[in-house]
């Protein structure tokens, strides 16, 4: 027991040492391994070229520059039906609905790092993101690989507390996957129309977070 406790303390100390905060209090972890990772980014904005998508691209650029394998998809281009709540996936590992969710959940399962990018709607995540989180239920009993999960968000309001409910939504998802954790969050406030995020300091924060995975 003591050796196990020492190992846990050691891991906690390493995470503490690697964790960084930028001037906007966004958190991310410094890159701790030279091994490339498979990074899967889900853009959940309904607007092409939306600000959260620009934030996602900055994260992707950083992760690519660090030598990782990166794939980014847009949920607005996908056919995603609402979860029926039948729980058949808990028995079969597959959803009964025939749409694009099965392919996406397969990529989520195989990724080392998951990144969700969403605009803040009514102080929460977009409908596209929430629908995808619900449809990822087949992963619950699976041998999923992802360990680090990031949330990138944007909003017209610039109060630092604006994304807190969205962060809680993601935490609710992660709580169902005990091997995973929130590795970082990046928020860009004060952006409304597509393109408003240009030159926003959060773009650099997202790039650095991507480079550190």
């Amino acid at each position: 027991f003591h050796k196990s406790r020492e190992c846990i303390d050691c891991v906690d100390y390493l995470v503490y040492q690697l964790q960084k905060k930028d001037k906007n209090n966004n958190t991310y972890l410094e890159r701790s391994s030279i091994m490339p990772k498979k990074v899967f980014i889900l853009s959940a904005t309904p607007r092409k070229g939306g600000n959260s998508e620009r934030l996602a691209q900055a994260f992707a650029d950083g992760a690519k520059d660090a030598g990782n394998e990166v794939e980014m998809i847009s949920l607005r281009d996908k056919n995603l039906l609402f979860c029926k709540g039948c729980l058949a996936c808990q028995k079969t590992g597959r959803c009964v609905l025939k749409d694009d969710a099965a392919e996406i959940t397969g990529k989520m399962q195989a990724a080392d790092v998951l990144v969700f990018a969403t605009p803040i709607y009514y102080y929460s995540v977009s409908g596209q993101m929430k629908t995808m989180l619900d449809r990822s239920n087949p992963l619950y009993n699976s041998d999923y690989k992802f360990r680090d999960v990031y949330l990138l968000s944007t909003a017209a309001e610039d109060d630092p507390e604006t994304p807190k409910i969205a962060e809680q939504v993601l935490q609710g998802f992660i709580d169902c996957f005990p091997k995973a954790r929130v590795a970082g969050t990046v928020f860009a406030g004060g952006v409304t129309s597509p393109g408003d995020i240009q030159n926003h300091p959060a773009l650099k924060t997202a790039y650095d977070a991507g480079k550190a995975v």
Side-chain angles (χ1 to χ4, degrees), residues 104-115:
I104 297 171
T105 54
K107 292 180 178 182
M108 290 172 65
Q109 182 184 34
D112 300 302
V113 179
L114 293 181
V115 183

Side-chain angles (χ1 to χ4, degrees), residues 130-147:
K130 184 58 170 67
T131 298
M132 191 61 238
L133 292 179
D134 291 345
R135 292 295 306 282
S136 65
N137 206 43
L139 298 176
Y140 182 65
N141 291 319
S142 72
D143 185 22
Y144 58 92
K145 285 189 64 181
F146 58 88
R147 298 294 184 266

Side-chain angles (χ1 to χ4, degrees), residues 94-119:
R94 299 186 303 275
C95 183
V96 299
L97 299 174
K98 306 302 180 184
D99 58 8
D100 294 327
E103 181 182 1
I104 297 171
T105 54
K107 292 180 178 182
M108 290 172 65
Q109 182 184 34
D112 300 302
V113 179
L114 293 181
V115 183
F116 294 93
T118 180

Side-chain angles (χ1 to χ4, degrees), residues 50-190:
N51 294 306
S52 62
E53 195 159 85
R54 293 280 299 275
L55 204 59
Q57 187 59 59
F59 188 102
D61 290 343
K64 288 177 183 177
D65 287 349
N68 297 291
E69 177 184 342
V70 180
E71 179 179 0
M72 185 167 78
I73 66 165
S74 171
L75 295 182
R76 71 173 171 275
D77 298 327
K78 305 300 181 182
N79 176 30
L80 296 174
L81 300 172
F82 295 132
C83 175
K84 296 173 63 177
C86 66
L87 298 181
C89 61
Q90 297 303 288
K91 298 177 181 178
T92 65
R94 299 186 303 275
C95 183
V96 299
L97 299 174
K98 306 302 180 184
D99 58 8
D100 294 327
E103 181 182 1
I104 297 171
T105 54
K107 292 180 178 182
M108 290 172 65
Q109 182 184 34
D112 300 302
V113 179
L114 293 181
V115 183
F116 294 93
T118 180
I120 299 297
Y121 290 161
Y122 291 101
Y123 296 98
S124 188
V125 301
S126 69
Q128 287 82 354
M129 177 172 164
K130 184 58 170 67
T131 298
M132 191 61 238
L133 292 179
D134 291 345
R135 292 295 306 282
S136 65
N137 206 43
L139 298 176
Y140 182 65
N141 291 319
S142 72
D143 185 22
Y144 58 92
K145 285 189 64 181
F146 58 88
R147 298 294 184 266
D148 292 345
V149 185
Y150 292 81
L151 179 67
L152 315 176
S153 62
T154 60
E157 190 169 338
D158 60 1
D159 188 315
E161 296 295 310
T162 301
K164 292 304 179 184
I165 295 176
E167 292 168 5
Q168 291 170 5
V169 170
L170 182 63
Q171 187 63 60
F173 166 79
I174 293 173
D175 286 346
C176 296
F177 297 93
K179 293 183 287 186
R181 63 172 180 168
V182 175
T185 63
V186 180
F187 171 63

